[in-house]
Amino acid sequence: MVEETRIMATLAQEETDFTELPDMPADVFTAPLKRPEHVGEDWLEPKQTEYDSDDDAIWDDLFKRQMDILPGRAATAFLEGTEKLDLGKGGVPDFGKMSEELGAMTGWSVVPVPMLIPDHLFFWHLANRRFPAGNFIRTRETFDYIQEPDVFHDVFGHVPMLTDPVFADYMQEYGRAGWRAMRHNRLKALGALYWYTVEFGLIKEAAGIRAYGAGILSGPTEAVYAVEAESPNRIMLNVDRVMRTDYVISDLQPTYFVIESFEDLFRQTVERDFDKLYRDLGPGFTYANTAVIDIDYVVNRGTLEYTLRGGRGSGAKPA
Ligand SMILES: [Fe+2]
């Protein structure tokens, strides 16, 4: 018992300084990404790409398409965030100016990165209130879907939520939780939490269910499907349960998790003893992404029709 207390204290001390680049334990698996030569150890690009008028037109068209769909489907905090940052003023936003405005609101900045970055660096940036955003924009050919997050997904999808003070704190806490996940080799479980909140989260508002996840808000199909379709399950968020749940990367989700409020999301994350949770979790996932289990507080039980018909590529209709 004495031994246990001593170890916890040491772990806690290590977690108080987030200014240094984290050291990755040798046994922790992360995707084998190769660092491009022109970026530093922190994987930041020296400066933001200079976009031409075609790029700016792609941004404007994507922006318009989403804003035609999102009222009544996106969370109020998100819609207010797009206005506060004036993301529709025309063209790809300038990161410097946006960071100044965002910094004045919640202390966050947006920094350019060439591609997906390694997990430990991603956590480090978040823990220091820096959001790494893709330094490129999709083409007309990949207008409807790209796998790599570009500047539209990252800035339009994620940054408006960072104007909400409570959500902004949640994102920083998430980065800090990443530290502990690395130490226990549980990045996969923490990845599921990110997936079901930051990327695909839903929130209960007085007017009904709304989306706050960037993966939903940056595409036209999932924005309608996640909020209105009969196919997916919608279950109240339970952090412990979500971190044991598998997820799909390249198709619409069979299950979404709903929060009561951003305060509730923050509390569930901060009050969680991640060190204990990581020690209890097995290395894989316990629940399939279609599962509804005994402890779930179900908002809507989905028909799962879209998923059972075969999902993307099968001709199944999302709505
Ligand atoms: Fe994202």
Side-chain angles (χ1 to χ4, degrees), residues 1-11:
M1 192 61 209
V2 174
E3 184 67 4
E4 175 79 345
T5 314
R6 193 187 62 76
I7 292 165
M8 290 293 290
T10 316
L11 286 174

Side-chain angles (χ1 to χ4, degrees), residues 131 149 153-154 158 194 199 214-215:
F131 190 77
H153 168 84
D154 279 337
H158 286 283
Y194 192 84
E199 293 292 353

Side-chain angles (χ1 to χ4, degrees), residues 17-313:
D17 183 10
F18 295 98
T19 56
E20 298 285 320
L21 270 171
D23 238 351
M24 278 287 278
D27 61 335
V28 171
F29 175 81
T30 56
L33 299 171
K34 194 174 178 313
R35 178 160 58 93
E37 268 167 25
H38 69 287
V39 304
E41 290 291 326
D42 55 10
W43 279 62
L44 297 190
E45 294 262 45
K47 65 185 181 68
Q48 192 184 7
T49 298
E50 282 170 28
Y51 294 99
D52 63 22
S53 55
D54 290 344
D55 297 329
D56 285 335
I58 289 175
W59 173 281
D60 293 346
D61 291 349
L62 287 164
F63 182 87
K64 183 178 182 313
R65 179 173 70 175
Q66 288 313 103
M67 293 313 279
D68 285 346
I69 294 167
L70 293 181
R73 298 188 173 111
T76 306
F78 176 86
L79 294 171
E80 287 177 359
T82 61
E83 274 175 36
K84 285 182 202 163
L85 295 167
D86 201 10
L87 293 184
K89 67 174 171 290
V92 180
D94 175 74
F95 283 11
K97 191 166 173 293
M98 185 167 51
S99 294
E100 243 171 64
E101 292 167 4
L102 186 59
M105 290 181 235
T106 57
W108 276 77
S109 64
V110 181
V111 290
V113 289
M115 53 195 272
L116 276 177
I117 65 173
D119 291 323
H120 64 298
L121 289 168
F122 182 64
F123 296 141
W124 177 61
H125 286 305
L126 294 187
N128 289 285
R129 295 174 98 89
R130 291 187 296 266
F131 190 77
N135 203 11
F136 63 97
I137 193 159
R138 67 193 73 183
T139 61
R140 289 281 168 197
E141 288 70 46
T142 54
F143 192 83
D144 289 330
Y145 181 75
I146 50 157
Q147 187 122 24
E148 278 265 295
D150 71 340
V151 68
F152 186 77
H153 168 84
D154 279 337
V155 171
F156 178 83
H158 286 283
V159 177
M161 288 307 304
L162 294 172
T163 65
D164 181 276
V166 180
F167 190 84
D169 287 348
Y170 169 72
M171 286 291 274
Q172 182 175 28
E173 278 307 318
Y174 181 87
R176 291 172 171 177
W179 240 256
R180 304 177 190 108
M182 283 191 285
R183 207 168 299 127
H184 295 279
N185 219 343
R186 289 292 176 266
L187 289 180
K188 240 184 123 156
L190 195 71
L193 178 62
Y194 192 84
W195 194 259
Y196 284 119
T197 60
V198 180
E199 293 292 353
F200 293 97
L202 299 179
I203 184 170
K204 246 186 189 173
E205 293 195 352
I209 298 279
R210 298 288 184 265
Y212 70 90
I216 301 177
L217 298 167
S218 58
T221 311
E222 196 145 6
V224 179
Y225 170 89
V227 176
E228 288 161 20
E230 286 181 4
S231 184
N233 296 314
R234 297 181 187 87
I235 298 170
M236 294 310 287
L237 181 86
N238 168 331
V239 167
D240 199 285
R241 187 268 204 241
V242 159
M243 289 175 76
R244 296 166 201 264
T245 307
D246 201 359
Y247 55 90
V248 276
I249 297 179
S250 56
D251 205 344
L252 303 173
Q253 305 301 309
T255 300
Y256 296 91
F257 290 92
V258 185
I259 58 171
E260 236 17 287
S261 62
F262 297 118
E263 284 80 4
D264 176 44
L265 174 64
F266 181 77
R267 200 166 356 92
Q268 280 206 47
T269 311
V270 172
E271 287 178 1
R272 198 85 196 97
D273 179 350
F274 277 95
D275 282 313
K276 181 180 180 313
L277 178 63
Y278 293 143
R279 280 196 299 273
D280 294 346
L281 286 175
F285 288 123
T286 311
Y287 307 117
N289 55 27
T290 50
V292 176
I293 61 174
D294 286 353
I295 60 158
D296 285 340
Y297 173 37
V298 180
V299 182
N300 303 123
R301 183 152 193 157
T303 60
L304 296 184
E305 187 178 339
Y306 172 78
T307 307
L308 295 173
R309 282 178 182 271
R312 177 167 283 149

